[in-house]
Structure formats: structure tokens, C-alpha cells
Amino acid sequence: METRADDDEAPTDPAARKQMHHDYTEQDFAGHRATVFGYRNVAEGAPRRAFHRTKHHHRKPEKDSDRPGPPVMARIRRLSVTDDGETLTPPAQRVQFILGEDVDDGALESHPLFSEMEELVKDGDELEWKETARWIKFEEDVEEGGNRWSKPHVATLSLHSLFELRSLILNGSVILDMEAGSLEQVAENVLDNMVADGCLGYDCREKVKEALLRRHRHQHERRNHNNMSKLPLIRSLADIGKNHSSCKSGGEEGMVKSPSSISMQRNHSTGDLPNGDVNHKSNTNFMRKIPPGAEASNILVGEVDFLEKTLSAFVRLKTAIIMGDLTEVPVPTRFMFVLLGPPNSNSSFHEIGRAMATLMSDEIFHEVAYRAKKRDHLLAGIDEFLDAVTVLPPGEWDPAIRIEPPAAIPSQDPRKRPNDNNPKEEPDEEEQEQKQREESGLSRTGVLFGGLMNDLKRKIPWYWSDFKDALAIQCVASWIFLYFACLSPIITFGGLLGEATGKNMAAMESLISGFVCGMGYGFFSGQPLTILGSTGPVLVFETIVFEFCKQIGWDYMAFRFCIGTWITIILIILVAIDASALVCYITRFTEENFATLIAFIFIYKAVENVISIGKNYPLKTRPDEVLNYECYCLPSNYSRVPEQFNWTAVDKESCQIYNGTLAGGGCDTKVYVPDVFLMSIILFLGTFIISVILKDFKNSLFFPSKVRQIISDFSVIIAILLMSFLDFKVGVKTPKLEVPAEFKPTLPSRNWIITPFKGNPIWSALAAILPALLGTILIFMDQQITAVIVNRKENKLKKGCGYHLDLFVLAILIQICSIMGLPWFVAATVLSINHVNSLKVESECAAPGEKPQFLGVREQRVTHILIFLTIGCSVVLTPVLKRIPMPVLFGVFLYMGVASLKGLQFFDRILIMFMPQKYQPDHMFLRQVPIRRVHLFTTIQLTCLVCLWVIKSFSLTSILFPLMLVVMIGIRKSLDLFFTRRELKILDDVMPEMTKRNQDELHELGNAEVGWHAKMFRLCRRN
């Protein structure tokens, strides 16, 4: 097969060519031979000859006896090795060199591409171009039977069509940076080039041009049989070339720059005609799917009866222009590819056209096409694409099956990055970890409050954007959802606290504390995504302090004021010495144990609360049972009532108030209440199920994407409204949310400002140091572990962390709450996780078939501020809030607990323990760590979780819960004795899995490609 030797020059005008002399080296010829595939489209027995133009230097054909055999040549071509044994640059490296060049005046800036393929079809006696497929990232085909677009799918190509396409690019016309302002100019330039090269006879020129300028009919347009006539010289064009098997020219076949359209003589003047069909209507709906700044690549393929050989052309315009009805959307055309040939070739042409469009949608070839300066660059791009393709055996796969687009498109960086045969020394892991700690503010500065100052420097530039970035409907949904999620625990915690502290602090104090702490933390914290709330260990701590004061006769609120003051002082000291740097020792092992425990607590408490409704409103399970409700009240020796008091009219509750005695056989008989418990279960499960289904609604097939996203964002709110409405319509008296109706202290004898000491001895202030140390550990661990979970790398936060600033603001808030006699609020893990999840941002699915990709979290302060502002106003909203059933809020708790387990590697590993190996998901840690080692690590972590649950469950030991979290860190450190450093790095790592997987696959791919090329080169040399 002859190769073409003039790819380095581009003539200025096909009509004014001058004699050119090129000095080519043997390596140039060998490079062409090395990349030609062994496919030839010639008739059997036809002579092997080439058409040469005069005045050009060409290498003489080699004798077949001097060439290696076909098997060896296949290897040589694949490896870019000459027949003399000299190794040339592999296609991947050539592409990497092309992409590595700086974009200068000679290279075009790349844009997103929309590719459209049209085929020449007959409509009656007239020919027209009909749109048959299109690409943005994935292929969509016109389904003739249903007269509609197919679902987007991954394009599957035959190797034969790719080889054919490569041969067409090698031997056909390639014109780069053509200067043309209309379709007609493009057509004239390409046809003149074809005629000059001898690929197209002058007698066929006008017929080809007439075919190219036929009407273009797109799928979105309605057919109009009265308007199917031939267009006046304006329609579309892509360039016309030739198949190497039937039209070989010895003339100038290199990269041809288009001559100016002014220098061409045309047989028809169309200067007064518009650049396209005046009746053409663009597909404005589909235009929304096109990325901003996109350009078009048009592929035209078809068969005509006046041609005897195939013509092909690839054109890149110097300036992209909109060419009328050529494209279904008003996008300027940059690339064109035309393939015309004799009849009975259409099926092959269809596949070649698909191959061309798929190449243009490929990220790497797309860049090569923009930067190519000569034909060799395009060929290198095709060869690199062939190196990267995966072949499916024909007997094991049906080509008619459409492959769904992947959930995550793999990165193409390994194809862009050159292989380093001399890898550099691996960077020091300790240095990398230290750098990451410095970026997160978790390294000691060596100066007082140095970490706090760094946090302020890091967060102040983002402060205005923390309010501006909240201008999104998603923030409204997050605000309302988290308001209900925070309100119910605050009121419930207030009720429990009232019982534990003798009404010194109850629901009203909890609401005000939520308002004060939430507003202060929302405006001034370093990480406003963290939600403050009441926690179980704090309740236990308050109970112990109250019982201690009650036994020795001290005033509880005054002593608590001293404890809170010491906690504030200790926390500020910790901020001054950068104690938050210790957070770097909280690894995935500890944080996921803590997060899983809190999630299980939410789930357990939600179910427990619903069951408690069944105890308060029992069901009558035996309808035939005869119940005895005979019960009356009798006076006792301790009763203090008037002598004429009517004891027969006193019920059970009043009898106890009057110190009476209950008598009768039915006093202990349960009072069955119909329907309340069953209705509570319906509301509980209905809220949970609706929340789960609607949260995933954004991935459903119904409604436009924006509607699906809004429904997903408001899923919990919709569930609360629907279930509350159902409860209202049914009319069953289920338990309702109880909110204080008056703004006043629960205990009338106390004020909003606590008086220090108040009868307590002076030395009680010093005695408060001991419980303050325990409270500091509790608050520090709760706050920082939750902060670590919120600041995970998986969340892709961009505005930095603020561990020191958060702790400082929390210390000030604890002092304010101590002065006002309010409960202390710290970071609530499950609420914070759900706050982050409700603000996650995904990419908009612009291209058909493209799956949304997680981009990060909408980092802002407004939702946090609005949540607790509304909580402070809940007293005013009592008439509305008292209609919300408690089972609905318990369903929200269940949803939050289940949702917070999503994404925890620890929970995934627990599930894997119960899966057969063939059904286990393809997690990265399962690829690199033996399954037995994974199960051993999970078992140890699960044992620690059980211990934490047991300690939390008993009131005597629950106060030690924060200390056990410190013990968890020690247990994690001891695992260094049982697991290798590599195993721990994989199983106990906070890096996003996809990031690590991409790095590992890149390294493996690089090593494999280098080894493969070396092995194949040695094999070729032996043969």
C-alpha cells in the first residue's frame, strides 16, 4: 500500500498550485507505514498501483518480498516500529505531545462539541439529508419505527469501521483551518481540492455539489411534502474526500489550508441568499442540553448513483459559523466530515459515520482535532483511540444491546499524562499528612491563639459568600426540614431535663437556648454546617450535678453557673494552645464508630417512642374479653378535704391528688383506646417511606429534572404535610407536638439571669473545677468528632475548616447559657450529617444520558440561622405546631438515622459480612485487602461499637461515654500491631474512594502500558 508523503505543507489555493519539493526522511515514510492497518477496499485481482502527480517526490513502492509477513506487520504497525527495527514514538506519546503544546496563535481553543450525523435518503424522487443520530457525550439514534429519539447509550463500534475511517483520513482530503463564511464556500473549496487531487472528475463536480446542498430534515421538524424540493446552493456540506481503495492521487495530499472564498470562481452566485433555509426552525428545547460555548461537528454520509468510487473529506474551519439548517440547533459548525460513495455501501458508511461522530465526542480525540496541525496528528489521535478501546467477543455479546451510560464517567487523565519510565521517588507520607493538617488548620502554630487567628484569616474572605450562596430553593427546603428535625428533640430533651432538674430547665429553656446558641453559632462559627443540639451525655451530666446539689443542699443553678464558667475558661485555654490539633488523631475508625452509634440511637429511639404510644393507648386484642372497670376512691387518714366532700365523683388522677385510696377490682384494668396506636404506626411508617422515596425521586424517570430536584429537596417536608393532613382528616386523637405557649421560665421562682453562689459557699466555685473537667471532655469530644465528620474530604468543602474558631464560639455560648440558666448545646452528629446531605449539590444533567456528579455542598450560614430563628419563634407558632402528630416526627427521626448511615464505610463492611462473595459490591478496599482481614477489622470495630452502646445504656456509666471515645483512639493506635500500614491506610482512610481508585488505576495503567510495549517490541524483533 502506498503512503502519502506530503502531510507537512498546505497549498494556499487548489486553483493556483505551484511546484513544491519536499525533503522527507526515511523515518517519515516508515511512520506512515507503521500506522496503516492491513485493510484494503479493492476488487479482487485488481492491480496494486498508485496514482501519482508529477512534480512531486515519492518513495518507490517496496517489493512484497522485502516486507515482513502479515502477522509481524500487524505487530509492527501496532507498536509503531519500522521494518528496519527502529522504534518510533507510540501513538499515545504522540498524542500527549500534541496535547502538551501551548495554545498559541496556531492552535484553536477547544470547545464542547455537539455531533450530528445525517444520511442521504430519497423522499419520492428527491434526495434529502435526514438526521439519523446525534452525540453530546452519548449516542442517540432516530428510531424509525417509533419516529423518536432512542435513549442515550454508549456507542458500540466495530473495529472494521474504525479501520475504514482511519484509511479515509489517511488517503482522503483533510483541510485544516479553512476560511469560509458560508456553506457554499465550504462546498466550493472542498470540491476544488478534490478535483485538483484527481479524486473527483470535473464532470461529476456539479452533481456532487448538488447532492451536498440538498435539504436537511431534522427529527424535530414535521415533514412537509410540499416543501421537499431541492435547495438553492445553500444547504450544508462537510468535506468530500476519497476512499484510498478507489481514488488515489499522487498530487498534494497534505493538510490543506482553505483558500479564501474570494479567490474562487463560482458557477452560481448566491451572495443574496441566506445562509440556510429560511423555513428552518431550530430545536430550542434541545438547545438547553447543549453546553455553553459548544460548537458543532457535522457528519454527512450517503450513496449516489453517479459515483464509481468513494469520496471522503475532513474539514476544520478556521472560524466556526452557523450554517443554516445544517444543524438542528443554532450552534456554529467547526468540523465537517463527508462520505459519499456508490450504491450498496450505505450500511458500511453508516457505521463509519458513527465511528467519526464517536471519535469527535471522545475527550482525547476531540482535543487532538482542535490542535492538529497536519494529517499525522489526526492519525495519531485515531491510533491512540484504537489503543484505548475494549473489544467485546462477538459470541459473548449482542451488538444490538444498548449499553446504559455509566453512573460515573472514568477520568481520561491517564491517556493525557505521559508515562514516566523513570518514576520519581515516592513523596514522604508524613510530609503529605503534615501538609494536609496545615491546610485544615490542625497543626500547632507555636503561638497563643495562632490556630484561632489562622481560622479567622481562612474564613473571613468567605463571610459574604456564606450569605450570597444561600440564594437557592434548596436552602429553603433544608431550612424547613431541619427546623422540624431540631424542634422535636429540643422539646423532648426539655421535658426530660425538666424531670431531671426539678423544672429548673425544661422545654421553654431549651427553645431559648436553641435560639441563642443557634444564632450565635450561625453568625460567628467557622463551620456553620454543624448543627447544635442537645445530647444524651449532657442530660446525664445535668442529672448527676442536680442530684449532687440536692443531697448537700446547694442551689443547683448557682453551682451550675460556676461549672459553666470553668468549662468556658478551660475551652478558651484549649483554643489558645491549639488543642484542636489533636483532632488529627480522630480517624475513620473512631468517627464512624461514633456516627454509627448516634444513628442507631436515633433509629432505636424512634421505634421506642412509637411503641410507647402503644403502652399509653393499648389495643384490645381479645374482643370477647369481659372487662371490669369498677374502681372508686376512698378517704384515707392523710386526706385533707371538707367533711361533706363527695368521694364517689373523684376519678383516679384526682384521688391521688386528694391523697385518697383506690379500691375495686377494676382499678388496674387497662383502658383500651381504639385506633390510636395503629394510626400512629401508619403515620410513622408513612412519613419514613414517603421521605425515602421522594428523596430518591431526583433519579426517577418522571417529570423534568428541575421538578424532580425540587421534589427531592422538599421530600421530608412533603411527607410531614401529607401525614399531618391524613391525621387531620381521619380525626384519630394521636399524640401531638406540645410547644410552650408563654414566654416565661418554667419554674416561677427563678429569673432569666442566674445569681452566682446564691447561698452556696464561696469554695463551691473551686469545687466546680472537677465536674467542669469532665464536662469539658464531654463537650470537646462531641464537638470535634462531629466537626471531623462534617469536614470529611468526601463532602468536597471548599471554604476550609474552623476547628479552633468553632470551639471558641462554643465556649462563649456556654458562658451565656450558664448566666441565663439555659441548657448547653453542642454539635449534634445526626442533625449535622443530615444538614450536609440536604445541601449537597450535583451537576446538572446537560448532556442526554449523563448522570449527575456530586460537586460539593452548598456552604452557607443562612439555613443554620433561619433554623434556630424559627425555633426561637416557635412559641408564636404554637397554634400550628400543636396539630403535628408526634408519630410523624418520629418517622423523621427514623429517616435521619437511616440516612446518616449512608456513605459510612463501617456500615458497608457490616453488610458485606452477610453477603456471599459473588454478590459483594466492588468496593476499592475489597480489591486490595483480603476479605478475612476486612472482616477482622470490622469485627474489632463492631466490638467497640457494642461496648459504646452498653456504656451509653446505663445511667451510672453513661457519663464515661466521652472518655470511651478517647479510649477508641488508643484502640485504633494498637491496631498497628495487628495490621500492616497499607491495610490500615485503606481501611481507615478518609480520602474519597474514587480519588484513591483513580490514582491507583493510573499507576497500574502506566506500568502495564510500559510493560506491554516493551514485551511486544521484543516479540517483533524476534520474528
Side-chain angles (χ1 to χ4, degrees):
M1 180 182 295
E2 286 295 318
T3 60
R4 312 182 64 152
D6 49 353
D7 286 339
D8 294 330
E9 298 293 336
T12 57
D13 192 320
R17 301 196 181 200
K18 298 180 179 180
Q19 181 176 350
M20 294 186 180
H21 300 275
H22 301 292
D23 295 327
Y24 292 107
T25 63
E26 179 65 21
Q27 184 174 353
D28 293 327
F29 288 96
H32 283 287
R33 287 199 307 276
T35 52
V36 174
F37 289 84
Y39 169 76
R40 292 181 57 85
N41 186 18
V42 293
E44 185 174 356
R48 303 178 63 179
R49 63 188 183 86
F51 297 94
H52 295 277
R53 294 181 62 197
T54 59
K55 302 183 182 180
H56 286 273
H57 299 282
H58 290 275
R59 189 169 185 257
K60 294 181 179 180
E62 295 181 277
K63 296 180 180 179
D64 292 344
S65 59
D66 297 334
R67 299 175 60 85
V72 179
M73 280 304 300
R75 300 189 189 103
I76 291 176
R77 291 164 183 151
R78 183 67 174 169
L79 282 171
S80 296
V81 180
T82 67
D83 48 356
D84 297 329
E86 183 181 359
T87 306
L88 300 181
T89 306
Q93 292 186 17
R94 292 158 62 192
V95 167
Q96 290 158 6
F97 175 78
I98 296 170
L99 299 183
E101 292 180 335
D102 294 332
V103 178
D104 52 17
D105 295 337
L108 298 175
E109 179 184 358
S110 62
H111 295 264
L113 274 183
F114 166 66
S115 298
E116 178 180 326
M117 186 174 81
E118 298 181 15
E119 297 184 36
L120 193 61
V121 298
K122 273 194 175 183
D123 184 76
D125 296 332
E126 298 290 338
L127 291 174
E128 67 175 4
W129 291 103
K130 183 178 181 300
E131 182 181 19
T132 57
R134 66 187 182 190
W135 287 254
I136 297 180
K137 288 189 176 180
F138 301 99
E139 179 178 359
E140 295 177 87
D141 299 324
V142 174
E143 296 176 335
E144 294 294 342
N147 193 27
R148 64 173 189 176
W149 285 108
S150 69
K151 290 182 62 176
H153 55 277
V154 178
T156 53
L157 309 173
S158 67
L159 280 178
H160 180 79
S161 63
L162 288 170
F163 295 156
E164 283 265 28
L165 176 61
R166 189 189 185 284
S167 298
L168 293 172
I169 297 296
L170 176 65
N171 297 280
S173 294
V174 175
I175 307 178
L176 301 181
D177 298 337
M178 173 187 286
E179 296 179 356
S182 66
L183 290 174
E184 185 191 3
Q185 291 182 12
V186 176
E188 293 283 357
N189 292 348
V190 173
L191 292 174
D192 288 346
N193 182 69
M194 293 293 98
V195 172
D197 282 348
C199 296
L200 176 64
Y202 194 81
D203 54 339
C204 296
R205 183 183 186 281
E206 291 303 316
K207 293 182 179 180
V208 173
K209 179 178 178 181
E210 184 180 11
L212 291 174
L213 300 180
R214 288 285 180 174
R215 169 186 298 278
H216 293 263
R217 179 163 58 86
H218 303 283
Q219 178 62 21
H220 72 281
E221 296 173 328
R222 293 182 179 179
R223 299 188 59 177
N224 185 356
H225 292 281
N226 295 327
N227 192 23
M228 286 295 180
S229 61
K230 177 174 58 175
L231 285 182
L233 304 183
I234 298 180
R235 291 306 172 256
S236 68
L237 167 129
D239 321 37
I240 313 169
K242 56 208 172 210
N243 192 320
H244 65 278
S245 61
S246 57
C247 184
K248 298 191 176 95
S249 170
E252 193 152 325
E253 305 166 20
M255 300 301 130
V256 188
K257 284 194 175 180
S258 169
S260 171
S261 58
I262 300 176
S263 65
M264 295 186 183
Q265 298 294 329
R266 298 177 176 81
N267 296 329
H268 303 278
S269 175
T270 57
D272 297 330
L273 294 173
N275 192 18
D277 187 1
V278 294
N279 298 321
H280 172 64
K281 294 182 180 180
S282 299
N283 189 353
T284 55
N285 291 330
F286 186 70
M287 187 64 190
R288 293 188 299 233
K289 300 288 185 181
I290 306 295
E295 296 178 343
S297 169
N298 296 94
I299 293 91
L300 305 178
V301 298
E303 58 180 16
V304 288
D305 53 6
F306 54 80
L307 287 179
E308 297 180 357
K309 54 187 178 181
T310 301
L311 301 176
S312 70
F314 178 90
V315 172
R316 184 182 71 200
L317 299 179
K318 187 172 185 179
T319 303
I321 57 174
I322 297 178
M323 297 190 179
D325 66 346
L326 176 62
T327 310
E328 67 168 306
V329 287
V331 174
T333 296
R334 174 72 69 175
F335 297 96
M336 291 183 181
F337 178 77
V338 171
L339 179 60
L340 291 178
N344 302 324
S345 304
N346 197 35
S347 59
S348 174
F349 286 1
H350 174 80
E351 293 302 318
I352 295 173
R354 290 182 61 246
M356 185 73 249
T358 304
L359 272 172
M360 297 305 296
S361 64
D362 178 65
E363 180 179 340
I364 306 303
F365 186 84
H366 160 265
E367 294 285 341
V368 172
Y370 269 101
R371 299 196 180 197
K373 297 180 180 178
K374 55 183 180 178
R375 187 192 307 266
D376 273 351
H377 291 173
L378 295 175
L379 294 173
I382 298 177
D383 293 340
E384 190 278 335
F385 181 85
L386 287 168
D387 283 344
V389 297
T390 300
V391 178
L392 296 174
E396 300 177 12
W397 174 73
D398 183 5
I401 297 175
R402 290 172 177 166
I403 302 177
E404 289 287 331
I409 300 177
S411 172
Q412 301 300 308
D413 287 342
R415 296 170 60 189
K416 297 180 181 179
R417 193 173 305 169
N419 298 321
D420 192 359
N421 295 328
N422 298 317
K424 300 179 181 178
E425 296 182 2
E426 295 184 0
D428 189 358
E429 293 184 2
E430 294 184 0
E431 292 182 0
Q432 289 184 335
E433 293 175 0
Q434 178 64 24
K435 184 178 180 181
Q436 292 176 358
R437 287 196 293 268
E438 291 176 356
E439 292 175 353
S440 302
L442 295 180
S443 60
R444 296 184 181 276
T445 60
V447 297
L448 290 178
F449 295 102
L452 177 63
M453 298 306 297
N454 289 337
D455 283 353
L456 289 172
K457 294 176 182 178
R458 187 182 303 111
K459 301 300 292 187
I460 286 177
W462 298 102
Y463 195 76
W464 168 241
S465 69
D466 285 343
F467 295 91
K468 184 175 59 177
D469 292 346
L471 298 176
I473 191 68
Q474 184 183 25
C475 294
V476 177
S478 176
W479 158 40
I480 301 175
F481 162 44
L482 267 299
Y483 165 66
F484 287 107
C486 294
L487 178 63
S488 183
I490 287 176
I491 294 176
T492 305
F493 176 80
L496 297 175
L497 195 60
E499 297 176 2
T501 63
K503 302 293 183 180
N504 281 281
M505 292 182 295
M508 176 54 70
E509 287 75 15
S510 294
L511 286 173
I512 297 175
S513 179
F515 172 74
V516 172
C517 295
M519 296 295 289
Y521 198 85
F523 275 107
F524 304 110
S525 67
Q527 185 49 274
L529 294 176
T530 303
I531 296 292
L532 299 185
S534 50
T535 61
V538 172
L539 176 62
V540 174
F541 180 81
E542 299 279 11
T543 304
I544 294 175
V545 173
F546 178 78
E547 293 295 333
F548 173 78
C549 294
K550 185 177 180 181
Q551 289 178 4
I552 64 177
W554 287 358
D555 183 81
Y556 164 66
M557 298 303 291
F559 186 62
R560 183 179 181 274
F561 170 82
C562 297
I563 295 175
T565 302
W566 280 114
I567 290 177
T568 300
I569 295 173
I570 297 173
L571 288 177
I572 292 178
I573 293 174
L574 293 177
V575 172
I577 63 175
D578 296 341
S580 293
L582 298 174
V583 170
C584 63
Y585 294 101
I586 301 176
T587 62
R588 182 189 287 270
F589 179 89
T590 304
E591 69 176 69
E592 289 198 343
N593 252 336
F594 182 74
T596 304
L597 175 68
I598 303 301
F600 283 169
I601 291 175
F602 260 69
I603 296 171
Y604 173 77
K605 288 295 182 182
V607 177
E608 183 184 49
N609 289 332
V610 174
I611 294 175
S612 67
I613 296 176
K615 295 179 181 179
N616 297 330
Y617 302 91
L619 289 173
K620 186 178 180 180
T621 57
R622 291 181 293 175
D624 56 343
E625 181 183 6
V626 178
L627 302 176
N628 178 16
Y629 287 109
E630 182 182 359
C631 183
Y632 47 89
C633 187
L634 298 177
S636 66
N637 297 331
Y638 303 99
S639 302
R640 295 181 180 180
V641 294
E643 294 182 0
Q644 301 300 325
F645 187 77
N646 185 10
W647 287 95
T648 59
V650 178
D651 57 14
K652 291 182 181 181
E653 289 76 12
S654 300
C655 185
Q656 296 177 357
I657 295 174
Y658 295 128
N659 291 325
T661 303
L662 292 173
C667 291
D668 295 331
T669 304
K670 293 182 179 180
V671 179
Y672 294 108
V673 182
D675 302 332
V676 173
F677 180 52
L678 294 178
M679 187 65 188
S680 298
I681 293 178
I682 292 174
L683 296 176
F684 171 70
L685 294 179
T687 304
F688 171 73
I689 293 173
I690 292 175
S691 298
V692 171
I693 293 176
L694 294 186
K695 190 64 180 178
D696 292 335
F697 194 76
K698 60 185 177 183
N699 299 321
S700 69
L701 304 177
F702 304 101
F703 303 113
S705 58
K706 290 185 178 180
V707 176
R708 296 198 306 265
Q709 187 64 48
I710 292 175
I711 293 176
S712 176
D713 292 338
F714 286 87
S715 58
V716 179
I717 302 167
I718 294 173
I720 293 175
L721 294 177
L722 288 178
M723 290 296 101
S724 298
F725 179 75
L726 176 64
D727 177 77
F728 173 76
K729 295 298 291 183
V730 173
V732 177
K733 295 183 179 180
T734 54
K736 300 298 190 296
L737 179 65
E738 297 179 2
V739 182
E742 295 180 327
F743 184 77
K744 63 179 182 180
T746 305
L747 195 66
S749 60
R750 60 154 289 187
N751 297 318
W752 287 119
I753 302 297
I754 303 301
T755 304
F757 303 109
K758 197 178 181 180
N760 294 348
I762 300 298
W763 57 269
S764 64
L766 297 177
I769 296 178
L770 184 61
L773 288 173
L774 184 60
T776 301
I777 297 174
L778 184 153
I779 292 171
F780 183 86
M781 295 301 296
D782 264 6
Q783 174 69 31
Q784 300 296 45
I785 289 181
T786 303
V788 168
I789 294 173
V790 170
N791 291 318
R792 283 175 178 168
K793 288 186 178 180
E794 287 92 333
N795 293 330
K796 297 183 179 180
L797 303 182
K798 300 180 178 71
K799 297 184 179 181
C801 310
Y803 294 99
H804 310 278
L805 180 57
D806 288 344
L807 200 60
F808 180 78
V809 172
L810 189 64
I812 302 301
L813 294 175
I814 287 176
Q815 183 61 48
I816 295 174
C817 291
S818 300
I819 294 174
M820 297 181 65
L822 304 176
W824 299 325
F825 275 30
V826 296
T829 305
V830 171
L831 292 174
S832 300
I833 293 174
N834 280 273
H835 189 212
V836 171
N837 290 339
S838 68
L839 293 171
K840 286 186 174 180
V841 180
E842 293 180 336
S843 61
E844 296 182 1
C845 303
E850 182 183 8
K851 299 296 190 297
Q853 302 298 316
F854 174 60
L855 301 178
V857 178
R858 200 179 298 278
E859 301 175 64
Q860 39 74 46
R861 299 177 181 272
V862 176
T863 53
H864 194 291
I865 294 171
L866 289 178
I867 289 166
F868 290 98
L869 177 63
T870 317
I871 285 176
C873 299
S874 296
V875 176
V876 183
L877 301 175
T878 299
V880 177
L881 297 176
K882 68 180 182 180
R883 297 183 179 275
I884 299 177
M886 287 302 297
V888 172
L889 298 180
F890 297 151
V892 175
F893 292 167
L894 178 63
Y895 167 78
M896 290 193 300
V898 173
S900 60
L901 291 174
K902 186 178 181 180
L904 295 179
Q905 189 199 83
F906 174 39
F907 187 70
D908 293 338
R909 286 188 273 108
I910 293 176
L911 298 179
I912 289 174
M913 296 178 71
F914 302 97
M915 294 181 186
Q917 187 170 355
K918 61 180 179 180
Y919 298 122
Q920 292 174 356
D922 184 25
H923 289 307
M924 187 269 300
F925 57 84
L926 292 180
R927 293 182 177 188
Q928 300 185 352
V929 180
I931 189 65
R932 291 185 179 180
R933 304 289 289 176
V934 174
H935 289 340
L936 176 61
F937 187 86
T938 306
T939 302
I940 296 173
Q941 199 170 1
L942 189 58
T943 304
C944 295
L945 177 65
V946 173
C947 293
L948 290 175
W949 181 277
V950 172
I951 292 172
K952 183 269 323 170
S953 301
F954 297 96
S955 57
L956 294 178
T957 58
S958 58
I959 195 64
L960 301 176
F961 179 77
L963 296 177
M964 288 304 300
L965 295 176
V966 179
V967 174
M968 289 292 108
I969 298 175
I971 294 174
R972 164 62 184 84
K973 185 64 177 176
S974 67
L975 293 181
D976 293 342
L977 303 175
F978 304 97
F979 293 89
T980 65
R981 182 179 181 86
R982 177 179 175 275
E983 290 174 340
L984 290 176
K985 186 176 180 180
I986 295 171
L987 295 175
D988 188 25
D989 189 8
V990 295
M991 284 186 66
E993 279 200 354
M994 283 304 298
T995 300
K996 179 178 285 293
R997 182 181 294 188
N998 284 346
Q999 292 173 353
D1000 292 343
E1001 290 178 350
L1002 175 61
H1003 180 68
E1004 294 172 3
L1005 179 64
N1007 291 340
E1009 188 172 350
V1010 172
W1012 183 83
H1013 280 294
K1015 180 178 178 181
M1016 292 301 294
F1017 175 67
R1018 290 194 299 268
L1019 180 62
C1020 292
R1021 292 299 299 269
R1022 286 200 302 267
N1023 291 332

